[in-house]
Amino acid sequence: MNSRTRVFLTVLATIIGGLSLMLYTTISEDILFDNLSFCTSSSQDLVLGSMSLFTSAILAGFIATLIVVKDNFLPHFFISMFIIGKMSFAAMCGQWHGPLWFETGMNLSLIGGVWLGRYGAVKFPLAPF
């Protein structure tokens, strides 16, 4: 694979992985669990919502890995940096709807899910080489 194709696939995987992460987390957080929040949601909604957000991140990492054909980790690095930037921006602007430990844990679970999705796609036997 030449370098132009590799750069194109990396950019494409970053964009599609990031957009799919935003789509899946929006569906889980806002639609399925009706604005998931530490202060207003029940404990059952918090547990199921946290698990659905983690699953969303796993799916996004899996999709991004399949696009780059398992040969680099840069899309996952860029998606992780986006999550950290979003978390920092939300902290500076006061846009969090719960305590610091809860929101930080949710965002760190997104990062862990993206990397777990990458690991799963690398170990997936039907993935292209």
Side-chain angles (χ1 to χ4, degrees):
M1 182 181 313
N2 63 16
S3 63
R4 285 182 136 176
T5 306
R6 186 176 298 239
V7 169
F8 174 72
L9 287 177
T10 301
V11 170
L12 184 68
T14 303
I15 292 170
I16 290 177
L19 289 176
S20 66
L21 179 66
M22 289 187 332
L23 173 70
Y24 296 148
T25 56
T26 300
I27 288 172
S28 330
E29 199 171 29
D30 294 337
I31 296 172
L32 293 177
F33 293 100
D34 195 27
N35 292 329
L36 187 68
S37 174
F38 183 79
C39 299
T40 59
S41 299
S42 68
S43 59
Q44 180 182 3
D45 283 347
L46 287 176
V47 170
L48 292 175
S50 299
M51 288 180 1
S52 71
L53 286 175
F54 186 66
T55 305
S56 301
I58 290 173
L59 286 172
F62 190 85
I63 290 169
T65 302
L66 291 182
I67 291 172
V68 293
V69 198
K70 303 192 304 187
D71 71 342
N72 79 30
F73 62 90
L74 286 177
H76 303 85
F77 176 76
F78 291 136
I79 292 170
S80 298
M81 289 297 112
F82 170 73
I83 293 170
I84 291 172
K86 180 188 73 115
M87 182 173 60
S88 302
F89 184 74
M92 286 188 299
C93 295
Q95 297 296 318
W96 281 356
H97 304 290
L100 176 69
W101 62 268
F102 177 75
E103 296 293 334
T104 304
M106 293 290 278
N107 287 305
L108 291 177
S109 75
L110 288 177
I111 293 172
V114 166
W115 287 97
L116 186 63
R118 180 188 186 282
Y119 178 76
V122 167
K123 297 298 180 184
F124 189 58
L126 300 177
F129 292 97

